[in-house]
Amino acid sequence: MIPAEAGRPSLADTAGAGARPAAKPHLAVVGATGAVGRVLLGILSERADVWGEIRLIASARSAGRKLTVRGEEVEVVALSEDAFDGIDVAMFDLPDEVAAQWVPVAVSKGAVVVDNSGAFRGDPEVPLVVPEVNGCAARMRPRGIIANPNCTTLSMIVALGALHAEYGLSELVVSSYQAASGVGQAGAETLRAQLSAVSGTGLGAAPGDVRRAIGDTLGPFPAPLALNVVPWAGSLQADGWSSEELKIRDECRKILGLPELPVTATCVRVPVLTTHSMAVHARFENEVTVAGAHEILAAAPGVVLFDDPAAGEYPTPSDVVGTDPTWVGRVRRSLDDPRALELFVCGDNLRKGAALNAAQIGELVVGELRG
Amino acid sequence: MIPAEAGRPSLADTAGAGARPAAKPHLAVVGATGAVGRVLLGILSERADVWGEIRLIASARSAGRKLTVRGEEVEVVALSEDAFDGIDVAMFDLPDEVAAQWVPVAVSKGAVVVDNSGAFRGDPEVPLVVPEVNGCAARMRPRGIIANPNCTTLSMIVALGALHAEYGLSELVVSSYQAASGVGQAGAETLRAQLSAVSGTGLGAAPGDVRRAIGDTLGPFPAPLALNVVPWAGSLQADGWSSEELKIRDECRKILGLPELPVTATCVRVPVLTTHSMAVHARFENEVTVAGAHEILAAAPGVVLFDDPAAGEYPTPSDVVGTDPTWVGRVRRSLDDPRALELFVCGDNLRKGAALNAAQIGELVVGELRG
C-alpha cells in the first residue's frame, strides 16, 4: 500500500500495476558529498540499477562539484525546493535539524523519503526499517517518510533480529566500539591527524601525554581518540545517558516490535576509522545453544557467521570494513544463564550502518511498483 | 596470623610482637625487567619506604643489567634458588608456567610470595587479594602465597567492591577495552610499530588494508591492533570462552566472596598503550540510585569519581594512565531495572592492575609485623 500524496503524481500513479511498462523512478541523494553520501554513490553503482536519474543534492557550498555515480560524472545541485522536481525517492543524509526542515519539502514535492537522520525515527507514523528484519514495515508510511536506523543499531540488529525470531529476545545489554567515521568525514580526518601527531613519539606513559601531543586537533570528539577510547557519543540526555545510548534502546524496540524490551547500552568511541563493533549480551525467553545460534546466524540473510577462535576467526573492524554484511563471532552461552548469549558483532557503519540500508529501503519502494 | 614455615626463620619470627625493633624486611622483585616490574620499581620508589634490601631478579638473560629503584642503581641477579637467600617478601611477575615452578622455591626459602601470574589464583589455599576490598584475606595464606588478581579484574574490582558492600551485587555483565601493555612490553612495542606503519597512509577503507600495511608486525596479538579492535585476550578455553573472560568471572567471585555470582564478560583488545577500561552492567539485590552510587564511589578508598558529562568529565585511558586509582564515570541507573547500574571504569593496568596492587599487598604483610 502506498498512501496517496494529495493531488500530486506519486510513485503509485506513475508506476502502478497498469499496462504500460514502469518507468525507472528518479532518485535524489541529499547530502551526496558527505561520508555516507559518498559511500551511497558507490553502492548505487554496484547494485542492480533500478533508478532512472540519480540527482545529487548537497549544501550550496558544494553545488557545482562533480561526483561519479554509475560510472558517470554528475554535477551536485544545491538543496532547494526545485531540486526535488520529478524526484520519486529521496535518500537524505543531513544533520537532524536540516533534515527536519527539508524532508517535508521533498515529500511535498512527491518524493518518498528515506531519511538517515534522527529527526523522524521516533515518529509513530514513520516506519524504522531494516529490510532483513522488518522490510514489510516500509509499506506503511503515512507521512511519506521511511527512517533509516542509527548506524550503531544497524551494526547489530540484523543478527539480533534473526536470533529474536527463533528464541524471543527478552533483554539486551550492549557495549559499543564505535568508529570515528560515525560522526562523518570530520571524525575520520581528525583520527588520522591525531595518529600522525602521536606516531613515533613514544607517548602514553603519563596522564595527559596524548592530549598534549594532539594539541587542538580534537575535531568533533570530546577527548583525544588516538591511543584512547572515549565513553561518549552524541549529546547529553536526562540522567546521564547519551543520545546514542538512548537511540539504541528506542530503535531496537521499534524495529523488533518489542516496545517494552529492556535495553541498556554504553557507547564508546574507539580509534577505528570505519566499522562499528558491539559486545552484546542478549537474553531470550527460551533456552539457547551455541550450535542453535550458529545455525540461525549462518542461515540469516545479511549475516556472516565468523566464529572459530581456534582458527583465529572472529570479526574485527579492519577485516569487515568495506563489506556489506553484519559479521558475528564469539558466540557463547552465558555460563550462569542458559537463556543468554554473548556475541561480538561488526558492521561497516557507512555501508549497512547507513548507505546500504538506505539503498535497500529504496529498492523495497521500487519493488512495490514492480510487484 | 602468619603460618609457621617449617623450621626456618620467618617474618613472624624476625619481626613479631617482641621487644626489639623490627628490622625492615627484605624484598625481591622477580621479573624486574618486564613491563610490570619496571612500573613496580617506580612505585616502590614513590611510596613509604618499608623495605630493607630490594633485590632485583630476572631471567639469566637480563642478569647484570642495572635498574634504578629508590634513586639507586641495583644490578639484576639471575633467577636461582640462592637468589632468594634472606628474602622476606618476593613479588613475582613471570609467565604462569615459570611462576608455577619458581614461586614454591621462593616460599621454601622463607619468603612470602605475592604472585602476579595466573598459576595460583584459583588455588583455594591461596588468597586473591585487593587491599581495598578484601585486605584481611592476605593474612590467611597456608601456602605462603598471596595471589595478585589479573589486570582486567583489578581495573574495576575496587569500584565494584565498594558498591557491593552497600547494595549487594547479584550479577555482572562486562565488556573490556584492554590496552596493549596488558600482554607486556611486546604488546606496547607492537602497537607503536603498527601505528607508525599505518600513520599517514590514508588506510581503512577496504577489508584487509590495515593487515597489509602492518605486514608481519602482529607481535603478540592475533590480529592487527592499530585502527582496529580485537575481541580476543588470552587462550581458548571450553565453549568458546577466552581465558581472560573466565578469569574475570572466577576472580570477581573469589575476591568478593560470592562463589555463585553470575558473571559474563567479553574481552576486547583496543589500540591503547596502557590503561584498561570496562563497560560494566552491575545488578544488585537492592534498588540503586545514581546519587547513592556517587556518594559510595566518592567516599571509596582508591576510587576517583569523575562523572559530569555536561562538563566533559568521564574517564579515558589517556587521562588515567600513570595514576593509581580506579576512575569511575558514566554512572547511570538502567532505565528498565531500578536495581542495575551502568558504569565506565578505567584503571592503569600496570599500576593498580598489577604493580601497585602487589606493592600494597606487600605493605599489608609488612604491616602485620608492625601491628
Side-chain angles (χ1 to χ4, degrees):
Chain A
M1 182 199 84
I2 303 179
E5 280 140 10
R8 295 169 291 94
S10 76
L11 272 181
D13 301 323
T14 58
R20 71 189 167 85
K24 283 188 173 181
H26 301 312
L27 173 69
V29 175
V30 190
T33 58
V36 171
R38 290 182 188 198
V39 171
L40 180 55
L41 300 190
I43 286 170
L44 291 168
S45 307
E46 294 163 12
R47 295 178 71 86
D49 187 8
V50 300
W51 304 106
E53 181 189 358
I54 296 184
R55 194 174 303 167
L56 308 187
I57 301 177
S59 66
R61 198 180 62 237
S62 297
R65 289 176 60 184
K66 288 182 177 169
L67 297 174
T68 301
V69 60
R70 298 185 297 191
E72 291 172 17
E73 282 208 329
V74 178
E75 187 169 314
V76 175
V77 301
L79 181 59
S80 72
E81 188 171 336
D82 292 348
F84 296 101
D85 283 347
I87 291 297
D88 299 296
V89 176
M91 298 181 185
F92 271 68
D93 188 74
L94 295 176
D96 291 3
E97 63 282 7
V98 189
Q101 180 188 349
W102 284 97
V103 165
V105 173
V107 170
S108 76
K109 298 281 288 187
V112 174
V113 172
V114 181
D115 180 42
N116 194 37
S117 82
F120 300 96
R121 289 184 190 134
D123 186 327
E125 295 195 323
V126 174
L128 185 64
V129 174
V130 182
E132 297 89 340
V133 181
N134 67 338
C136 56
R139 301 178 84 91
M140 304 293 286
R141 47 175 192 265
R143 294 191 59 186
I145 306 169
I146 302 167
N148 207 36
N150 180 263
C151 52
T152 318
T153 305
L154 274 171
S155 298
M156 61 176 182
I157 195 72
V158 178
L160 290 177
L163 293 167
H164 167 59
E166 179 73 18
Y167 291 133
L169 195 61
S170 66
E171 188 183 2
L172 270 182
V173 179
V174 299
S175 305
S176 75
Y177 303 72
Q178 294 182 233
S181 64
V183 295
Q185 284 180 45
E189 285 161 13
T190 297
L191 176 56
R192 287 185 205 276
Q194 291 184 358
L195 284 178
S196 295
V198 302
S199 179
T201 58
L203 282 178
D209 269 3
V210 171
R211 208 176 271 273
R212 278 185 291 276
I214 66 162
D216 57 359
T217 61
L218 279 181
F221 305 116
L225 192 56
L227 292 175
N228 209 19
V229 300
V230 181
W232 193 261
S235 58
L236 179 61
Q237 306 296 310
D239 301 320
W241 295 89
S242 73
S243 56
E244 195 86 352
E245 289 157 353
L246 298 183
K247 280 179 192 175
I248 291 176
R249 181 166 176 263
D250 295 342
E251 296 179 16
C252 284
R253 288 173 156 196
K254 183 166 177 174
I255 295 162
L256 298 173
L258 296 170
E260 307 293 327
L261 183 71
V263 180
T264 196
T266 295
C267 285
V268 180
R269 192 78 61 187
V270 295
V272 165
L273 287 165
T274 297
T275 294
H276 290 349
S277 306
M278 314 288 284
V280 178
H281 172 77
R283 182 175 281 146
F284 298 91
E285 287 161 14
N286 300 299
E287 282 203 14
V288 297
T289 63
V290 170
H294 275 176
E295 197 174 323
I296 293 162
L297 293 166
V303 173
V304 171
L305 177 67
F306 192 60
D307 189 19
D308 184 358
E313 291 188 354
Y314 25 75
T316 79
S318 81
D319 294 320
V320 165
V321 63
T323 72
D324 286 346
T326 301
W327 293 61
V328 186
R330 299 301 325 279
V331 180
R332 292 147 289 154
R333 187 168 85 161
S334 301
L335 290 165
D336 305 302
D337 184 348
R339 297 174 305 146
L341 285 172
E342 316 301 317
L343 315 165
F344 189 78
V345 184
C346 292
D348 184 318
N349 54 295
L350 299 178
R351 294 181 74 88
K352 183 59 185 176
L356 172 63
N357 200 69
Q360 289 173 304
I361 294 172
E363 291 166 11
L364 286 183
V365 175
V366 173
E368 293 171 14
L369 319 174
R370 305 257 158 99
Chain B
M1 184 200 79
I2 302 178
E5 280 141 9
R8 294 168 293 94
S10 77
L11 272 180
D13 302 323
T14 57
R20 72 189 166 87
K24 283 188 173 179
H26 302 313
L27 174 68
V29 175
V30 189
T33 57
V36 171
R38 289 183 188 198
V39 171
L40 179 55
L41 300 190
I43 285 171
L44 292 169
S45 306
E46 293 163 11
R47 295 178 71 86
D49 186 7
V50 301
W51 303 106
E53 183 190 357
I54 296 183
R55 194 174 302 166
L56 308 187
I57 302 177
S59 66
R61 196 179 67 238
S62 297
R65 289 177 60 184
K66 289 183 177 170
L67 296 174
T68 301
V69 60
R70 297 185 299 191
E72 290 173 18
E73 282 207 327
V74 178
E75 189 171 313
V76 175
V77 300
L79 182 59
S80 72
E81 188 172 336
D82 291 349
F84 295 102
D85 282 347
I87 290 298
D88 299 297
V89 175
M91 298 181 184
F92 270 68
D93 188 74
L94 295 176
D96 291 3
E97 62 284 7
V98 189
Q101 178 188 349
W102 284 96
V103 164
V105 173
V107 170
S108 75
K109 298 280 289 185
V112 174
V113 172
V114 181
D115 180 41
N116 195 37
S117 83
F120 300 96
R121 288 182 190 135
D123 186 327
E125 295 195 324
V126 174
L128 186 65
V129 175
V130 182
E132 297 89 340
V133 180
N134 67 338
C136 56
R139 301 179 83 90
M140 304 293 286
R141 46 174 192 268
R143 295 193 59 185
I145 306 169
I146 303 167
N148 207 38
N150 181 261
C151 53
T152 318
T153 305
L154 274 171
S155 297
M156 63 175 179
I157 195 71
V158 178
L160 290 177
L163 293 167
H164 168 58
E166 179 74 19
Y167 291 133
L169 195 61
S170 66
E171 187 182 3
L172 270 182
V173 179
V174 299
S175 304
S176 76
Y177 303 71
Q178 295 182 231
S181 64
V183 294
Q185 284 179 43
E189 285 161 14
T190 298
L191 176 56
R192 288 184 206 279
Q194 290 184 359
L195 283 178
S196 295
V198 302
S199 180
T201 56
L203 283 180
D209 270 2
V210 171
R211 207 176 270 271
R212 278 185 290 277
I214 67 162
D216 56 1
T217 63
L218 280 180
F221 305 116
L225 192 56
L227 292 175
N228 209 19
V229 301
V230 181
W232 192 262
S235 57
L236 179 60
Q237 306 296 311
D239 300 321
W241 295 90
S242 73
S243 56
E244 195 87 352
E245 290 157 354
L246 298 184
K247 281 179 192 175
I248 290 176
R249 180 166 176 265
D250 295 342
E251 297 180 15
C252 284
R253 289 172 156 197
K254 183 166 177 174
I255 296 163
L256 298 172
L258 296 170
E260 307 293 327
L261 183 70
V263 179
T264 196
T266 296
C267 286
V268 181
R269 193 79 59 187
V270 296
V272 165
L273 287 165
T274 298
T275 293
H276 289 351
S277 305
M278 314 288 284
V280 178
H281 172 76
R283 182 174 284 146
F284 298 91
E285 288 161 14
N286 300 298
E287 281 204 15
V288 297
T289 64
V290 170
H294 275 177
E295 198 174 323
I296 293 162
L297 293 166
V303 173
V304 172
L305 176 69
F306 192 61
D307 189 18
D308 184 358
E313 292 188 354
Y314 25 76
T316 79
S318 82
D319 294 320
V320 164
V321 63
T323 71
D324 286 346
T326 301
W327 294 62
V328 186
R330 301 299 326 279
V331 180
R332 291 147 290 155
R333 188 169 86 161
S334 300
L335 290 165
D336 305 302
D337 184 349
R339 298 174 305 145
L341 285 172
E342 316 302 316
L343 314 166
F344 190 78
V345 184
C346 292
D348 184 318
N349 53 297
L350 299 179
R351 295 181 73 88
K352 183 60 183 176
L356 173 64
N357 200 68
Q360 290 174 305
I361 294 172
E363 291 167 10
L364 286 183
V365 175
V366 173
E368 292 170 15
L369 318 174
R370 305 259 159 98

